[in-house]
Amino acid sequence: MFKFVLPVVILIISLRVTFSQSYADSGYYYLNQGNRTTASYFFELHLKDNPRDTKTRLQLGYIYYDQRKYDRSLRQFDYVGRHSSNSKDVEISKSAALVIREERSFTAPRSIDLYFYNYFDSYQENYIANLVAHINFKIGKNFYAGPYLDVYTDTKTTKAFIYNDRFFEIGGFFRYYILKNLFFEFRIGYTRQIDLDSSKINLKPMLIYYNRFGEGKVYVSSRSSTKTSLYMDMYYAAMYDYKYRNAFLQVVLQQVLRFHTGGYSYIENYLVENIQFDSRKLDYNNYLEVGTGVRFKPNVMYFPLLFVEPTFKTYFYGSRKNSFQIKAGFLFNFRSKI
């Protein structure tokens, strides 16, 4: 009896291996033919018997990403990042996973975005902080709405001498993405101007454009042949703020050289140019600021950027003196599906 059962078991195992390999071969065949849907079907069959095949999971991650099936794609890239022994595949997967986590927030029914900018200004001898948060509910293609919070404060302003207009604002917003990096947002909310002892309903339409030219690599393994990145960031904002009865225009450019120190960690050296105007021509709102800086990010997927930034500021109107200041603080940008 034993002599009969053993060959049968060996035959069954051999057939399973053969069929499994056939599934993988079929997947690559249809992938090469451009039929990604059928390729993914055969790759999934292959993984049922070979769940640790990270090369196949990597292919599935690419396929699902192209099909905008971000949750499925993320599962594949996360697995490869955790289990692959190939340093290049780990680097690709961990980079892709971080990008997908942000991109899927734009297709999710609900998401949150958070901007938190804090720094000490040596010229003012003042600690300044700005927090902006949105909870986004997707109401249609490229349309979002929800509540927002905007807080601006510092540690030195008093009612007798105002360095910055401190305020607290909460309300609702509507946002429409005209292009991937260009959107219009309209806010209506309750605002409390702390030092002016004033409360009112505020209206704030704004047009925002942002883009990155070049590539800032996200994750770099210890064996990577390239550990530097060079890119330029651009930010443009035009808005009207009813509480100030004033319109604003701002353009910020940064030219960045990134040195990767392992994993998600990097050090950046950058140049920055910041130009700002307002319709009332108030001296402190109309200036050109240029400088350089150094930023550091530890090896944690989501962690604030620590920075030191010496800049020179020159004003276009009024008698305000030009100034040199060193800013030191941190910046945290976060967006995620909820």
Side-chain angles (χ1 to χ4, degrees):
M1 181 69 176
F2 178 76
K3 292 181 180 179
F4 173 74
V5 171
L6 184 59
V8 172
V9 171
I10 293 174
L11 177 61
I12 292 172
I13 294 173
S14 299
L15 287 173
R16 288 190 64 182
V17 172
T18 301
F19 277 120
S20 180
Q21 186 58 45
S22 177
Y23 290 146
D25 291 341
S26 296
Y28 282 106
Y29 169 79
Y30 284 107
L31 182 62
N32 292 332
Q33 296 297 312
N35 190 338
R36 296 176 181 273
T37 301
T38 305
S40 65
Y41 169 76
F42 282 107
F43 284 147
E44 289 284 10
L45 289 176
H46 172 75
L47 286 174
K48 287 182 179 180
D49 293 324
N50 301 271
R52 296 183 181 181
D53 185 348
T54 55
K55 290 292 184 182
T56 299
R57 288 187 179 275
L58 197 61
Q59 291 297 334
L60 265 178
Y62 286 128
I63 290 172
Y64 288 143
Y65 179 79
D66 289 340
Q67 295 174 338
R68 297 182 179 273
K69 297 177 181 177
Y70 293 131
D71 287 340
R72 292 185 181 184
S73 178
L74 184 60
R75 283 196 294 271
Q76 304 303 328
F77 284 125
D78 274 343
Y79 185 94
V80 176
R82 290 194 304 268
H83 297 96
S84 178
S85 59
N86 185 302
S87 61
K88 184 176 181 181
D89 289 350
V90 170
E91 182 176 313
I92 290 171
S93 298
K94 286 184 175 291
S95 298
L98 184 60
V99 172
I100 291 170
R101 280 184 166 86
E102 181 173 337
E103 286 196 11
R104 71 175 181 167
S105 67
F106 288 95
T107 60
R110 297 176 305 278
S111 64
I112 183 171
D113 62 70
L114 179 68
Y115 170 86
F116 196 22
Y117 184 47
N118 298 256
Y119 65 94
F120 178 81
D121 186 310
S122 64
Y123 184 77
Q124 292 186 10
E125 296 182 345
N126 195 3
Y127 182 79
I128 301 164
N130 182 207
L131 170 67
V132 183
H134 296 78
I135 297 179
N136 309 282
F137 293 91
K138 190 172 184 179
I139 58 177
K141 184 178 180 180
N142 299 330
F143 286 92
Y144 298 83
Y148 77 91
L149 172 68
D150 191 353
V151 180
Y152 196 96
T153 188
D154 69 13
T155 57
K156 198 170 183 180
T157 292
T158 64
K159 291 185 178 181
F161 195 96
I162 297 177
Y163 286 87
N164 299 279
D165 184 15
R166 301 187 297 179
F167 66 85
F168 169 89
E169 186 169 317
I170 189 169
F173 76 94
F174 169 87
R175 181 184 294 176
Y176 173 67
Y177 278 87
I178 304 166
L179 299 171
K180 182 179 180 180
N181 300 322
L182 175 66
F183 66 86
F184 171 78
E185 180 172 314
F186 181 81
R187 298 181 189 174
I188 179 169
Y190 165 83
T191 185
R192 175 68 180 174
Q193 290 177 275
I194 299 169
D195 300 298
L196 299 180
D197 197 21
S198 172
S199 300
K200 64 186 69 172
I201 298 299
N202 190 40
L203 304 175
K204 191 173 183 179
M206 60 183 72
L207 184 68
I208 307 292
Y209 174 78
Y210 59 94
N211 207 348
R212 173 165 291 182
F213 304 93
E215 180 189 8
K217 295 183 70 174
V218 174
Y219 183 95
V220 171
S221 68
S222 59
R223 298 180 182 178
S224 176
S225 59
T226 304
K227 294 188 177 182
T228 59
S229 301
L230 182 65
Y231 64 91
M232 184 178 78
D233 280 343
M234 178 181 180
Y235 173 82
Y236 167 91
M239 65 188 72
Y240 180 80
D241 199 319
Y242 178 73
K243 67 176 175 288
Y244 299 128
R245 307 296 198 275
N246 204 353
F248 298 89
L249 176 66
Q250 183 182 28
V251 179
V252 182
L253 297 174
Q254 289 189 359
Q255 300 82 39
V256 185
L257 180 60
R258 178 179 292 182
F259 302 93
H260 298 269
T261 54
Y264 297 104
S265 178
Y266 55 79
I267 297 172
E268 291 184 330
N269 183 225
Y270 60 95
L271 302 175
V272 59
E273 302 86 34
N274 176 18
I275 188 167
Q276 182 170 305
F277 299 96
D278 76 344
S279 58
R280 294 174 58 188
K281 295 186 177 181
L282 300 172
D283 56 1
Y284 50 84
N285 283 332
N286 293 267
Y287 60 83
L288 170 66
E289 185 175 18
V290 295
T292 185
V294 177
R295 287 191 289 245
F296 172 69
K297 182 181 183 298
N299 186 19
V300 180
M301 181 181 288
Y302 295 112
F303 198 90
L305 275 175
L306 311 176
F307 68 88
V308 177
E309 185 178 291
T311 66
F312 179 78
K313 188 181 290 186
T314 182
Y315 296 91
F316 301 134
Y317 307 113
S319 58
R320 184 176 289 260
K321 292 182 179 179
N322 299 337
S323 63
F324 173 81
Q325 52 276 312
I326 297 176
K327 303 174 185 178
F330 69 86
L331 169 64
F332 186 55
N333 259 321
F334 177 75
R335 185 179 179 104
S336 177
K337 172 184 175 181
I338 56 175

